[in-house]
Amino acid sequence: MNENYKTIKELADELGLAKQTVQYHIKFLPTENRQKNNSGSIVLNLEEQKFIKKRLTKIKKVQPTENRQKTDRKSTKKNEELSVNSLLLEQIKDLKNNRDKQLENKDKQLLQMQNLLDQQQRLALQDKKLLDEYKSEINDLKALKMPTQETEFKHLDNQYKDEVNALKEKLENLQEQIKDQKRIEEQEKPRKWWGLWRK
């Protein structure tokens, strides 16, 4: 197998820890692409080894192998619990920091939303004022009593009737003039002697 890969036992021996401690930290690694050696033991690549070492160094500095072997199981278990607790505390701090940053971002977003709402309300008020002004102008124009279509039609109808009546009067006058002209012409015609008895 490649030198970059180590079994759990090899890594535990290198770090001077119990095999169970390394196994405990392995559960924080992703399970996809987990590799095994020829004998079926789980092997860890360099990245996985670094991850476990980093987790353990955050908790406390690793003691040399000789000193670690002298500690009994109770102290090892206690140390593991302490390391897990300190690791959890660090994770909680990270979560708090992330939460604070998210809250700060949310506050900024809320402030921007509030500004946008204020602008929208101002624009709505301006629009309402303009509409009111336009309505008053329209009402003022209506007050000028501009003729409606009905009054225009009545006016036109009356105008046509007046014109028709005037034309009728002219026609009657012309007819009377024609009659008068005919009478005058008849009177001026010489009468024939045989036509005198007819009348």
Side-chain angles (χ1 to χ4, degrees):
M1 193 113 217
N2 193 342
E3 291 180 13
N4 294 335
Y5 292 93
K6 291 185 181 176
T7 63
I8 295 171
K9 186 175 183 336
E10 290 172 344
L11 185 61
D13 288 344
E14 179 186 322
L15 298 173
L17 297 171
K19 186 178 172 183
Q20 290 82 6
T21 305
V22 176
Q23 283 177 331
Y24 172 78
H25 293 289
I26 286 177
K27 68 182 176 182
F28 295 103
L29 293 170
T31 56
E32 300 102 23
N33 302 327
R34 187 57 54 89
Q35 296 185 5
K36 296 185 178 184
N37 63 7
N38 295 337
S39 62
S41 299
I42 295 174
V43 290
L44 305 170
N45 63 25
L46 283 176
E47 287 181 24
E48 293 170 329
Q49 292 173 36
K50 286 178 185 177
F51 175 78
I52 292 173
K53 287 177 183 178
K54 190 175 182 181
R55 284 178 62 90
L56 292 170
T57 54
K58 280 184 178 179
I59 298 166
K60 63 182 178 177
K61 292 183 179 178
V62 178
Q63 296 177 355
T65 308
E66 300 164 6
N67 294 340
R68 180 58 85 185
Q69 290 170 350
K70 291 179 184 176
T71 57
D72 60 349
R73 287 186 181 177
K74 287 183 182 178
S75 64
T76 304
K77 191 172 182 180
K78 231 181 194 184
N79 288 339
E80 287 175 7
E81 287 175 4
L82 288 173
S83 65
V84 168
N85 286 340
S86 63
L87 184 64
L88 288 173
L89 285 173
E90 275 206 34
Q91 288 177 346
I92 289 171
K93 284 180 184 176
D94 289 342
L95 288 173
K96 281 183 181 178
N97 288 338
N98 285 339
R99 184 197 64 196
D100 291 342
K101 287 178 183 175
Q102 288 176 346
L103 286 173
E104 189 176 315
N105 287 337
K106 292 291 179 192
D107 288 342
K108 287 179 183 176
Q109 289 174 351
L110 284 172
L111 185 62
Q112 287 175 344
M113 291 287 283
Q114 186 64 41
N115 289 337
L116 288 173
L117 280 172
D118 289 344
Q119 287 176 354
Q120 186 178 5
Q121 287 175 346
R122 279 189 225 116
L123 288 173
L125 284 173
Q126 287 176 350
D127 288 347
K128 188 178 179 188
K129 284 180 184 176
L130 282 174
L131 282 174
D132 291 341
E133 287 176 12
Y134 290 147
K135 284 180 183 177
S136 66
E137 284 180 22
I138 289 171
N139 290 335
D140 291 345
L141 290 173
K142 284 181 180 177
L144 293 175
K145 292 186 179 179
M146 295 183 70
T148 61
Q149 283 185 340
E150 287 181 23
T151 56
E152 283 182 30
F153 288 138
K154 286 180 182 177
H155 177 69
L156 289 174
D157 192 32
N158 291 336
Q159 186 178 357
Y160 290 136
K161 283 181 182 178
D162 292 342
E163 288 178 10
V164 167
N165 289 334
L167 287 173
K168 279 183 182 179
E169 285 180 24
K170 283 184 181 179
L171 184 63
E172 287 174 3
N173 287 337
L174 284 174
Q175 285 176 346
E176 281 184 32
Q177 286 177 1
I178 290 172
K179 282 181 184 177
D180 289 341
Q181 189 71 28
K182 279 184 180 178
R183 264 190 244 135
I184 292 171
E185 285 177 6
E186 281 182 18
Q187 286 176 359
E188 291 178 358
K189 272 188 191 177
R191 286 188 169 193
K192 298 198 180 181
W193 62 270
W194 56 87
L196 291 174
W197 289 292
R198 288 188 188 167
K199 286 195 177 181

